[in-house]
Amino acid sequence: MMPSFPVGFLLLLDVIALSLLAVALPPFAQPRRKGAVVGVAALVPLAALVTFVIAKGFHAVGVGRVAGATAWLSMTLVFLAGLFGLVGRALATLAALVKPGAKQEKPADPSRRRFLRAVPQGATALGAAVAAGGIATGQRAPQLRRVELFYPDLDPALEGFTILQFFDLHLGVSLGLDDLDAALLQAAAEKPDLVVITGDVVDDRPLFDRAIPKIAALAPPAGVFACLGNHEYLRRIGLDPAQWKRLGVTLLRDEATTIACGKGGRATLGIAGVDDPMELRSEPVQRGIAASLRRISKPTSTFALLLSHRPEAFLVEGMRDYDLVLSGHTHGGQWGLFGRSLLDAVTGRAIHWGSYAKSVLVPGTTDGRTKRVQLFTTSGFGDWFPFRVACPRELPLLILRRG
């Protein structure tokens, strides 16, 4: 299937990126050189876009995918180079307005002038380097990531229990079935106890009936369970629980189930799945998840797991009934900072990538007892746009530990 790219939007974005670059770059000693730099920066994404349009007309899928990805990535490189350069030029301009030294006029310092001239050039180069790193990281295959989650009161029968999380695969955009097959080879070697699929599996309808059985074939002892993401609704794919069941997976839509698991089957695991609220802003998303949780009969179990495509589930009152919330959706913003998503700092909500924990009052008690509830949000298996800065694709293997 030919990938879908918003050509008009990309053209607009390319114009913006080139404008940023043209403004950010200081005058060259030879003006033609600056024109040549901007010209080359314009030529690559535009040529890729033209190639994509032609390939689409001739149904040349392979050429179309390469051309579309080249257009996106080259435009991103130009955009970040221009943005960083513009910031650098603004800082250099401000610095030039500050006159150093005594009050009397002094001859201009040639070294200071050269330094201020080099600032936007260096910032432009830095932006290009960040973009190049993001492009390189975005091309890497998803890697298995082991994450230990500790609970002081964990049932001994669940010590070492493993959960493999498939999230945000977006098969048919930048990744395909061959990438899933490679990841499944890694996963099979780990022999997970439970496998969960938490939304946004495919963006190419024919791939759904081929991808889900591959995951189900892992045949973990505790089974394979799923919840829906927003892309299932956007694409109208996999909305029927019977279709999932036929392919070997139990879909949970505002419902819960309890299974025996752990060492010797001595523990019980409650698994609930919330439907996707199909909202964009955080507050409506939280209200939708809260409504879903009210519709679910709380599982009576040794350990309670909540599957929610949106990590906002960790922020609602009803999550106190659970021990672990598994989410994704954000892709970690595809931009990391010190092992966390940059979105955590931007939004002020610590939910976007990695493991988070907080103590809550034990539901139904009045003696002030607390328990630990944890959230794990994955950066995702796939993406729409293969550009990631310090936030790689991943296939999380979660390991429950007592402690």
Side-chain angles (χ1 to χ4, degrees):
M1 180 178 177
M2 179 69 70
S4 177
F5 290 98
V7 176
F9 174 73
L10 274 178
L11 282 172
L12 175 62
L13 210 55
D14 195 33
V15 170
I16 295 173
L18 289 169
S19 300
L20 283 173
L21 185 63
V23 173
L25 288 174
F28 283 33
Q30 297 182 16
R32 290 183 179 179
R33 289 186 178 179
K34 180 174 179 178
V37 171
V38 175
V40 171
L43 182 62
V44 175
L46 288 176
L49 274 177
V50 170
T51 304
F52 171 77
V53 172
I54 295 173
K56 189 172 184 179
F58 285 94
H59 302 286
V61 177
V63 175
R65 287 189 182 279
V66 172
T70 302
W72 269 114
L73 297 174
S74 58
M75 181 274 299
T76 300
L77 192 152
V78 174
F79 181 81
L80 284 180
L83 182 62
F84 276 55
L86 189 62
V87 172
R89 188 164 190 180
L91 292 174
T93 301
L94 289 174
L97 295 175
V98 179
K99 294 185 180 296
K103 293 182 179 180
Q104 68 268 23
E105 289 292 330
K106 290 185 177 181
D109 184 352
S111 62
R112 183 169 185 267
R113 186 188 303 155
R114 286 194 297 270
F115 173 75
L116 294 178
R117 185 183 181 87
V119 168
Q121 295 175 342
T124 301
L126 177 61
V130 170
I135 291 170
T137 302
Q139 307 311 304
R140 294 176 188 163
Q143 295 298 309
L144 193 78
R145 177 188 176 191
R146 295 174 181 82
V147 180
E148 293 186 318
L149 301 175
F150 290 88
Y151 291 87
D153 300 319
L154 184 70
D155 188 315
L158 289 175
E159 169 66 32
F161 188 86
T162 55
I163 306 169
L164 185 69
Q165 183 182 10
F166 283 92
F167 213 122
D168 294 313
L169 286 83
H170 292 290
L171 298 179
V173 182
S174 54
L175 296 180
L177 291 176
D178 53 340
D179 300 290
L180 177 60
D181 288 338
L184 287 171
L185 285 176
Q186 298 181 63
E190 300 295 330
K191 295 182 171 54
D193 296 303
L194 172 70
V195 172
V196 297
I197 306 169
T198 36
D200 289 6
V201 180
V202 305
D203 284 280
D204 183 357
R205 184 181 298 274
L207 295 181
F208 185 83
D209 282 356
R210 299 168 64 189
I212 299 301
K214 289 176 178 287
I215 299 174
L218 288 172
V224 184
F225 295 85
C227 71
L228 296 178
N230 57 310
H231 277 248
E232 274 72 46
Y233 283 101
L234 288 173
R235 301 291 188 183
R236 310 304 298 175
I237 298 174
L239 299 180
D240 183 6
Q243 182 183 14
W244 289 81
K245 197 69 176 177
R246 175 174 55 82
L247 299 175
V249 177
T250 300
L251 176 66
L252 300 172
R253 296 180 67 179
D254 289 353
E255 57 185 314
T257 187
T258 302
I259 59 173
C261 63
K263 298 180 178 69
R266 297 192 302 273
T268 54
L269 176 66
I271 308 175
V274 296
D275 209 352
D276 190 82
M278 284 302 293
E279 296 282 355
L280 292 176
R281 293 182 297 111
S282 180
E283 290 77 11
V285 167
Q286 291 180 52
R287 288 196 295 270
I289 293 173
S292 288
L293 290 176
R294 288 193 294 270
R295 288 191 287 269
I296 298 174
S297 298
K298 177 186 177 297
T300 302
S301 58
T302 306
F303 191 90
L305 173 65
L306 176 63
L307 308 181
S308 171
H309 185 70
R310 313 288 188 111
E312 284 87 351
F314 194 55
L315 305 177
V316 305
E317 179 71 16
M319 63 85 201
R320 293 195 306 150
D321 292 329
Y322 299 88
D323 299 289
L324 175 60
V325 181
L326 297 183
S327 296
H329 180 66
T330 67
H331 297 215
Q334 297 186 203
W335 197 300
L337 183 66
F338 305 120
R340 289 293 189 189
S341 169
L342 193 61
L343 291 177
D344 282 0
V346 171
T347 66
R349 297 191 305 271
I351 58 173
H352 296 100
W353 179 35
S355 57
Y356 305 88
K358 60 183 175 182
S359 294
V360 300
L361 293 173
V362 176
T365 62
T366 58
D367 56 4
R369 278 183 295 154
T370 62
K371 70 170 187 174
R372 178 181 296 173
V373 178
Q374 298 194 63
L375 164 71
F376 183 81
T377 306
T378 173
S379 63
F381 183 93
D383 35 56
W384 267 28
F385 179 39
F387 177 85
R388 291 172 173 266
V389 176
C391 185
R393 295 165 173 162
E394 62 184 15
L395 178 61
L397 181 71
L398 309 174
I399 308 168
L400 301 185
R401 296 294 188 195
R402 184 180 176 89

